[in-house]
Coordinates of all heavy atoms in Angstrom, one line a residue:
V292 N -18.6 -16.1 12.9 CA -18.0 -16.7 14.0 C -18.3 -18.3 13.9 O -19.4 -18.7 13.7 CB -18.6 -16.2 15.4 CG1 -18.0 -17.0 16.5 CG2 -18.3 -14.7 15.5
G293 N -17.3 -19.1 14.1 CA -17.3 -20.5 14.1 C -16.5 -21.1 15.2 O -15.6 -20.4 15.7
R294 N -16.6 -22.4 15.4 CA -15.6 -23.0 16.3 C -15.3 -24.5 15.7 O -15.9 -25.1 15.2 CB -16.5 -23.3 17.7 CG -16.8 -22.0 18.4 CD -17.5 -22.4 19.7 NE -17.9 -21.1 20.4 CZ -17.4 -20.7 21.6 NH1 -16.5 -21.5 22.3 NH2 -17.9 -19.6 22.0
W295 N -14.0 -24.6 16.1 CA -13.3 -25.9 15.7 C -12.6 -26.5 16.9 O -12.2 -25.8 17.8 CB -12.4 -25.6 14.6 CG -13.1 -25.1 13.3 CD1 -13.5 -25.8 12.2 CD2 -13.3 -23.8 12.9 NE1 -14.0 -25.0 11.3 CE2 -14.0 -23.7 11.8 CE3 -13.1 -22.6 13.7 CZ2 -14.4 -22.6 11.1 CZ3 -13.5 -21.4 13.0 CH2 -14.1 -21.4 11.7
Q296 N -12.4 -27.7 16.8 CA -11.7 -28.5 17.9 C -10.4 -29.1 17.3 O -10.5 -29.8 16.2 CB -12.4 -29.5 18.6 CG -11.9 -30.1 19.8 CD -12.8 -31.0 20.5 OE1 -14.1 -30.9 20.3 NE2 -12.3 -31.8 21.4
A297 N -9.3 -29.0 17.9 CA -8.1 -29.6 17.5 C -7.5 -30.4 18.7 O -8.0 -30.2 19.8 CB -7.0 -28.6 17.0
P298 N -6.4 -31.2 18.5 CA -5.9 -32.0 19.6 C -5.4 -31.1 20.7 O -4.8 -29.9 20.3 CB -4.8 -32.8 18.9 CG -5.2 -32.8 17.5 CD -5.9 -31.6 17.2
A299 N -5.3 -31.5 21.9 CA -4.7 -30.6 23.0 C -3.1 -30.5 22.8 O -2.5 -31.4 22.3 CB -5.0 -31.3 24.3
F300 N -2.6 -29.4 23.1 CA -1.1 -29.2 22.9 C -0.6 -29.2 24.3 O -1.1 -28.9 25.3 CB -0.9 -27.8 22.2 CG -1.5 -27.7 20.9 CD1 -2.6 -26.9 20.6 CD2 -1.0 -28.5 19.8 CE1 -3.3 -26.9 19.4 CE2 -1.6 -28.4 18.6 CZ -2.7 -27.6 18.4
P301 N 0.8 -29.6 24.4 CA 1.3 -29.8 25.8 C 1.6 -28.5 26.5 O 1.8 -27.4 25.9 CB 2.8 -30.5 25.4 CG 2.8 -30.0 23.9 CD 1.6 -29.9 23.3
I302 N 1.4 -28.6 27.8 CA 1.7 -27.4 28.7 C 3.1 -27.5 29.3 O 3.6 -28.7 29.6 CB 0.7 -27.5 29.8 CG1 -0.8 -27.3 29.1 CG2 0.9 -26.3 30.8 CD1 -1.8 -27.4 30.1
G303 N 3.8 -26.5 29.4 CA 5.1 -26.3 30.1 C 6.2 -26.7 29.1 O 7.3 -26.8 29.5
Q304 N 6.1 -26.5 27.8 CA 7.2 -26.8 26.8 C 6.9 -25.8 25.6 O 5.8 -25.5 25.2 CB 7.3 -28.1 26.4 CG 6.1 -28.8 25.8 CD 6.4 -30.3 25.5 OE1 7.1 -30.6 24.6 NE2 5.9 -31.1 26.3
W305 N 8.1 -25.5 25.0 CA 8.0 -24.6 23.7 C 7.5 -25.4 22.6 O 7.9 -26.5 22.5 CB 9.3 -24.0 23.5 CG 9.6 -22.8 24.5 CD1 10.4 -23.0 25.6 CD2 9.2 -21.5 24.4 NE1 10.5 -21.7 26.2 CE2 9.7 -20.9 25.5 CE3 8.3 -20.7 23.4 CZ2 9.4 -19.4 25.7 CZ3 8.1 -19.4 23.8 CH2 8.7 -18.8 24.8
F306 N 6.8 -24.9 21.7 CA 6.4 -25.5 20.4 C 5.9 -24.3 19.5 O 5.7 -23.3 19.8 CB 5.4 -26.5 20.6 CG 4.0 -26.0 21.2 CD1 3.0 -25.4 20.4 CD2 3.8 -26.1 22.6 CE1 1.8 -25.1 21.1 CE2 2.6 -25.7 23.1 CZ 1.6 -25.2 22.3
H307 N 6.1 -24.6 18.2 CA 5.6 -23.8 17.2 C 4.2 -24.1 16.7 O 3.9 -25.3 16.5 CB 6.5 -23.9 16.0 CG 6.2 -23.0 14.9 ND1 5.5 -23.4 13.7 CD2 6.5 -21.7 14.7 CE1 5.3 -22.3 12.9 NE2 5.9 -21.3 13.4
L308 N 3.3 -23.1 16.8 CA 2.0 -23.3 16.4 C 1.6 -22.3 15.2 O 1.9 -21.1 15.4 CB 1.1 -23.1 17.5 CG -0.4 -23.4 17.3 CD1 -0.6 -24.9 17.1 CD2 -1.2 -22.9 18.6
A309 N 1.0 -22.8 14.2 CA 0.7 -21.9 13.1 C -0.8 -22.1 12.6 O -1.3 -23.4 12.7 CB 1.6 -22.1 11.8
V310 N -1.6 -21.2 12.4 CA -3.0 -21.4 12.0 C -3.2 -20.5 10.7 O -2.9 -19.5 10.7 CB -4.0 -20.8 13.2 CG1 -5.4 -21.1 12.6 CG2 -3.7 -21.6 14.5
V311 N -3.8 -21.2 9.8 CA -4.2 -20.6 8.4 C -5.7 -20.7 8.2 O -6.2 -21.8 8.3 CB -3.5 -21.2 7.4 CG1 -3.7 -20.6 6.0 CG2 -1.9 -21.2 7.6
Y312 N -6.3 -19.5 7.9 CA -7.7 -19.7 7.6 C -8.2 -18.6 6.6 O -7.8 -17.5 6.7 CB -8.6 -19.5 9.0 CG -10.0 -19.5 8.8 CD1 -10.7 -20.6 8.6 CD2 -10.8 -18.3 8.8 CE1 -12.0 -20.7 8.4 CE2 -12.3 -18.3 8.6 CZ -12.8 -19.5 8.4 OH -14.2 -19.5 8.2
A313 N -8.9 -19.2 5.6 CA -9.4 -18.3 4.5 C -10.8 -18.0 4.8 O -11.7 -18.8 4.8 CB -9.2 -19.0 3.2
V314 N -11.2 -16.7 5.0 CA -12.5 -16.2 5.3 C -13.3 -16.2 4.0 O -14.5 -15.7 4.2 CB -12.5 -14.9 6.1 CG1 -11.6 -15.1 7.3 CG2 -11.9 -13.8 5.2
S315 N -12.9 -16.5 2.9 CA -13.6 -16.3 1.7 C -14.9 -17.2 1.7 O -15.8 -16.9 0.9 CB -12.8 -16.7 0.5 OG -12.3 -18.1 0.6
S316 N -15.0 -18.2 2.5 CA -16.3 -19.1 2.6 C -16.4 -19.7 3.8 O -15.4 -20.2 4.6 CB -16.1 -20.2 1.5 OG -17.1 -21.2 1.7
T317 N -17.7 -19.8 4.3 CA -17.9 -20.4 5.7 C -17.7 -21.9 5.6 O -17.7 -22.7 6.7 CB -19.3 -20.1 6.2 OG1 -20.3 -20.5 5.2 CG2 -19.6 -18.5 6.4
A318 N -17.6 -22.5 4.4 CA -17.2 -23.9 4.3 C -15.9 -24.2 4.6 O -15.4 -25.3 4.6 CB -17.8 -24.4 2.9
N319 N -14.9 -23.2 4.6 CA -13.6 -23.4 4.9 C -13.4 -23.8 6.3 O -13.9 -23.3 7.2 CB -12.7 -22.2 4.6 CG -12.7 -21.9 3.0 OD1 -13.0 -22.7 2.3 ND2 -12.5 -20.7 2.7
D320 N -12.3 -24.6 6.5 CA -11.8 -24.9 8.0 C -10.4 -24.4 8.1 O -9.7 -24.4 7.1 CB -11.9 -26.5 8.2 CG -13.3 -27.0 8.3 OD1 -14.2 -26.3 8.8 OD2 -13.6 -28.2 8.0
P321 N -10.0 -24.0 9.4 CA -8.7 -23.6 9.5 C -7.7 -24.9 9.4 O -8.1 -26.0 9.6 CB -8.7 -23.1 11.0 CG -9.7 -23.7 11.6 CD -10.8 -24.0 10.6
Q322 N -6.5 -24.6 9.0 CA -5.4 -25.5 9.0 C -4.6 -25.1 10.2 O -4.1 -24.1 10.3 CB -4.6 -25.4 7.6 CG -5.4 -25.7 6.4 CD -4.7 -25.5 5.2 OE1 -4.0 -24.5 5.1 NE2 -4.9 -26.4 4.3
I323 N -4.3 -26.1 11.0 CA -3.5 -25.9 12.3 C -2.3 -26.8 12.1 O -2.4 -28.0 11.8 CB -4.3 -26.3 13.4 CG1 -5.5 -25.3 13.6 CG2 -3.4 -26.2 14.7 CD1 -6.4 -25.5 14.8
Y324 N -1.1 -26.2 12.2 CA 0.2 -27.0 12.2 C 0.9 -26.8 13.7 O 1.1 -25.7 14.2 CB 1.1 -26.3 11.3 CG 0.5 -26.4 9.8 CD1 -0.3 -25.4 9.3 CD2 0.8 -27.5 9.0 CE1 -0.9 -25.5 8.0 CE2 0.3 -27.6 7.8 CZ -0.6 -26.6 7.2 OH -1.1 -26.7 6.0
Y325 N 1.2 -28.1 14.1 CA 2.1 -28.1 15.5 C 3.3 -28.5 15.1 O 3.6 -29.7 14.7 CB 1.3 -29.1 16.3 CG 2.0 -29.4 17.6 CD1 2.1 -28.5 18.7 CD2 2.6 -30.6 17.7 CE1 2.8 -29.0 19.8 CE2 3.3 -31.0 18.8 CZ 3.4 -30.2 19.8 OH 4.2 -30.4 21.0
N326 N 4.3 -27.8 15.3 CA 5.8 -28.2 15.0 C 5.9 -28.6 13.6 O 6.6 -29.5 13.2 CB 6.2 -29.1 16.0 CG 6.6 -28.6 17.3 OD1 6.9 -27.4 17.5 ND2 6.7 -29.5 18.3
G327 N 5.2 -27.9 12.7 CA 5.1 -28.1 11.2 C 4.3 -29.3 10.7 O 4.3 -29.5 9.6
V328 N 3.6 -29.9 11.6 CA 2.9 -31.1 11.3 C 1.3 -30.7 11.3 O 0.8 -30.2 12.3 CB 3.1 -32.3 12.2 CG1 2.2 -33.5 11.8 CG2 4.6 -32.8 12.1
A329 N 0.7 -30.9 10.2 CA -0.7 -30.6 10.2 C -1.5 -31.5 11.2 O -1.2 -32.6 11.3 CB -1.4 -30.9 8.8
Q330 N -2.5 -30.8 11.8 CA -3.3 -31.4 12.9 C -4.7 -31.6 12.3 O -5.1 -30.8 11.5 CB -3.3 -30.6 14.1 CG -2.0 -30.3 14.7 CD -1.3 -31.6 15.1 OE1 -1.7 -32.3 16.0 NE2 -0.1 -31.9 14.5
S331 N -5.4 -32.7 12.9 CA -6.8 -32.9 12.4 C -7.6 -31.8 13.2 O -7.4 -31.5 14.3 CB -7.2 -34.2 12.7 OG -7.3 -34.5 14.2
V332 N -8.7 -31.2 12.4 CA -9.3 -30.2 12.9 C -10.8 -30.6 12.8 O -11.2 -31.0 11.7 CB -9.2 -28.8 12.3 CG1 -10.2 -27.7 12.8 CG2 -7.7 -28.4 12.6
S333 N -11.8 -30.6 13.8 CA -13.2 -30.9 13.5 C -14.0 -29.7 14.0 O -13.7 -29.0 14.9 CB -13.6 -32.0 14.4 OG -13.3 -31.9 15.6
E334 N -14.9 -29.4 13.1 CA -15.9 -28.2 13.2 C -16.9 -28.6 14.3 O -17.6 -29.6 14.1 CB -16.5 -27.9 11.9 CG -17.3 -26.6 11.9 CD -17.9 -26.3 10.5 OE1 -17.1 -25.9 9.7 OE2 -19.1 -26.6 10.3
T335 N -17.0 -27.7 15.3 CA -18.0 -27.9 16.2 C -19.2 -26.9 16.0 O -20.4 -27.3 16.5 CB -17.4 -27.8 17.7 OG1 -16.9 -26.5 17.8 CG2 -16.4 -28.9 17.9
T336 N -19.0 -25.7 15.6 CA -20.0 -24.8 15.2 C -19.8 -24.2 13.9 O -18.6 -23.7 13.6 CB -20.0 -23.7 16.2 OG1 -20.1 -24.2 17.6 CG2 -21.2 -22.7 16.0
T337 N -20.8 -24.4 13.0 CA -20.5 -23.9 11.6 C -20.5 -22.4 11.6 O -21.3 -21.6 12.3 CB -21.8 -24.3 10.7 OG1 -21.9 -25.6 10.8 CG2 -21.7 -23.8 9.2
P338 N -19.4 -21.8 11.0 CA -19.3 -20.3 10.9 C -20.6 -19.7 10.3 O -21.2 -20.3 9.4 CB -18.2 -20.1 10.0 CG -17.5 -21.4 10.0 CD -18.5 -22.5 10.1
T339 N -20.9 -18.4 10.7 CA -22.0 -17.6 10.2 C -21.4 -16.2 9.9 O -20.4 -15.8 10.4 CB -23.1 -17.6 11.2 OG1 -22.6 -17.0 12.3 CG2 -23.7 -18.9 11.6
G340 N -22.1 -15.5 9.2 CA -21.7 -14.2 8.8 C -20.7 -14.1 7.6 O -20.6 -15.0 6.9
T341 N -20.2 -12.8 7.5 CA -19.3 -12.5 6.3 C -17.9 -12.2 6.9 O -17.9 -11.4 7.9 CB -19.8 -11.4 5.5 OG1 -21.1 -11.7 5.0 CG2 -19.0 -11.2 4.3
G342 N -16.9 -12.9 6.5 CA -15.5 -12.6 6.8 C -15.2 -11.2 6.5 O -15.7 -10.4 5.5
T343 N -14.2 -10.6 7.3 CA -13.7 -9.3 7.0 C -12.3 -9.4 6.4 O -11.4 -10.1 6.8 CB -13.6 -8.6 8.5 OG1 -14.8 -8.5 9.1 CG2 -13.1 -7.1 8.3
D344 N -12.1 -8.6 5.4 CA -10.8 -8.5 4.9 C -9.8 -7.7 5.6 O -10.1 -6.4 5.8 CB -11.0 -8.0 3.3 CG -9.6 -7.8 2.6 OD1 -8.6 -8.3 3.3 OD2 -9.6 -7.3 1.5
D345 N -8.9 -8.2 6.2 CA -7.8 -7.5 7.0 C -6.5 -7.4 6.3 O -5.6 -7.1 6.9 CB -7.8 -8.2 8.4 CG -7.2 -9.6 8.3 OD1 -7.1 -10.1 7.1 OD2 -7.0 -10.2 9.4
S346 N -6.4 -7.6 5.1 CA -5.2 -7.7 4.4 C -4.5 -6.3 4.4 O -3.3 -6.2 4.1 CB -5.3 -8.1 2.9 OG -6.3 -7.2 2.2
V347 N -5.2 -5.1 4.7 CA -4.6 -3.9 4.6 C -4.1 -3.4 6.0 O -3.6 -2.3 6.2 CB -5.5 -2.8 4.1 CG1 -5.7 -3.1 2.5 CG2 -6.8 -2.6 4.7
Q348 N -4.5 -4.3 7.0 CA -4.0 -4.0 8.4 C -2.7 -4.5 8.8 O -2.2 -5.4 8.4 CB -5.1 -4.7 9.3 CG -6.5 -4.4 9.1 CD -6.9 -2.9 9.5 OE1 -6.3 -2.3 10.5 NE2 -7.6 -2.3 8.6
D349 N -2.1 -3.7 9.7 CA -0.7 -4.1 10.2 C -0.9 -5.3 11.0 O -2.0 -5.4 11.8 CB -0.2 -2.9 11.0 CG 0.3 -1.8 10.1 OD1 0.6 -1.9 8.9 OD2 0.3 -0.7 10.8
L350 N 0.1 -6.1 11.1 CA 0.1 -7.3 11.9 C 1.0 -7.1 13.0 O 2.3 -6.8 12.9 CB 0.5 -8.4 11.1 CG 0.7 -9.8 11.8 CD1 -0.5 -10.3 12.4 CD2 1.4 -11.0 11.0
N351 N 0.5 -7.2 14.2 CA 1.3 -7.0 15.5 C 1.4 -8.3 16.3 O 0.6 -8.7 16.8 CB 0.7 -5.9 16.3 CG 0.6 -4.6 15.7 OD1 1.6 -4.0 15.4 ND2 -0.6 -4.0 15.4
V352 N 2.7 -8.9 16.1 CA 2.9 -10.0 16.8 C 3.5 -9.7 18.0 O 4.7 -9.1 18.1 CB 3.8 -11.0 15.9 CG1 4.2 -12.2 16.7 CG2 3.2 -11.5 14.5
G353 N 3.1 -10.2 19.2 CA 3.6 -10.0 20.6 C 3.2 -8.7 21.0 O 4.0 -8.2 21.9
N354 N 2.3 -8.0 20.5 CA 1.9 -6.6 20.9 C 0.3 -6.4 20.6 O -0.2 -7.2 19.9 CB 2.7 -5.6 20.2 CG 3.0 -4.3 20.9 OD1 2.1 -3.9 21.7 ND2 4.0 -3.6 20.6
R355 N -0.1 -5.2 21.1 CA -1.4 -4.9 21.0 C -1.4 -3.9 19.8 O -0.4 -3.3 19.5 CB -2.1 -4.3 22.2 CG -2.2 -5.4 23.3 CD -3.1 -4.9 24.4 NE -2.9 -3.4 24.8 CZ -3.1 -3.0 26.0 NH1 -3.4 -3.8 26.9 NH2 -3.0 -1.7 26.2
A356 N -2.6 -3.6 19.2 CA -2.7 -2.6 18.2 C -2.2 -1.4 18.5 O -1.8 -0.5 17.8 CB -4.2 -2.6 17.5
D357 N -2.5 -0.9 19.8 CA -2.0 0.4 20.3 C -0.6 0.4 20.7 O -0.1 1.4 21.2 CB -3.0 0.9 21.5 CG -2.7 0.0 22.7 OD1 -1.9 -1.0 22.8 OD2 -3.6 0.3 23.8
L358 N 0.1 -0.7 20.4 CA 1.6 -0.9 20.7 C 1.8 -0.6 22.3 O 3.1 -0.3 22.6 CB 2.3 0.2 19.9 CG 2.1 0.0 18.4 CD1 3.0 1.2 17.7 CD2 2.4 -1.3 17.9
A359 N 1.0 -1.1 23.1 CA 1.2 -0.7 24.7 C 1.9 -2.0 25.2 O 2.2 -2.0 26.4 CB -0.1 -0.5 25.3
R360 N 2.1 -3.0 24.5 CA 2.8 -4.2 25.1 C 3.9 -4.8 24.4 O 4.0 -5.9 23.9 CB 1.7 -5.4 25.2 CG 0.5 -5.1 26.0 CD 0.8 -5.4 27.5 NE -0.4 -4.9 28.3 CZ -0.9 -5.7 29.1 NH1 -0.4 -6.9 29.4 NH2 -1.8 -5.3 29.9
S361 N 5.0 -3.9 24.1 CA 6.1 -4.2 23.3 C 6.9 -5.3 23.9 O 7.1 -5.4 25.2 CB 6.9 -3.0 23.1 OG 8.1 -3.3 22.3
L362 N 7.4 -6.2 23.2 CA 8.4 -7.2 23.7 C 9.7 -6.8 23.9 O 10.6 -7.4 24.5 CB 8.4 -8.5 22.7 CG 7.1 -9.2 22.5 CD1 7.2 -10.3 21.5 CD2 6.8 -9.9 23.9
L363 N 10.2 -5.6 23.2 CA 11.4 -5.1 23.3 C 11.6 -3.9 24.4 O 10.7 -3.2 24.7 CB 11.9 -4.5 21.9 CG 12.0 -5.7 20.9 CD1 12.3 -5.0 19.4 CD2 12.9 -6.7 21.1

């Protein structure tokens, strides 16, 4: 578990937000993109522990793992 700080994003308007993070090393920082533009990120708490490989898990966007919150 680690913590990072990024610029505040506007409230009350649509935007595209993407976050990329490689758990292979606690020295890695996430990359945050706001409307396609990379944002500066500062680490506030150094990550500890070992990352979990979730590459074999299904990705549910806009829903929970139990499929109880479907958008359709």
Side-chain angles (χ1 to χ4, degrees):
V292 177
R294 290 183 188 243
W295 296 268
Q296 185 170 349
F300 302 110
I302 296 174
Q304 59 183 286
W305 287 96
F306 56 87
H307 180 260
L308 186 67
V310 180
V311 180
Y312 180 70
V314 299
S315 57
S316 171
T317 57
N319 292 338
D320 288 329
Q322 297 172 324
I323 298 177
Y324 297 90
Y325 169 77
N326 287 335
V328 178
Q330 303 296 301
S331 62
V332 177
S333 59
E334 186 177 282
T335 58
T336 303
T337 302
T339 60
T341 303
T343 304
D344 180 4
D345 62 357
S346 62
V347 297
Q348 301 296 318
D349 290 335
L350 175 62
N351 296 299
V352 177
N354 205 339
R355 298 188 323 202
D357 64 4
L358 305 178
R360 301 277 175 129
S361 177
L362 294 175
L363 301 174

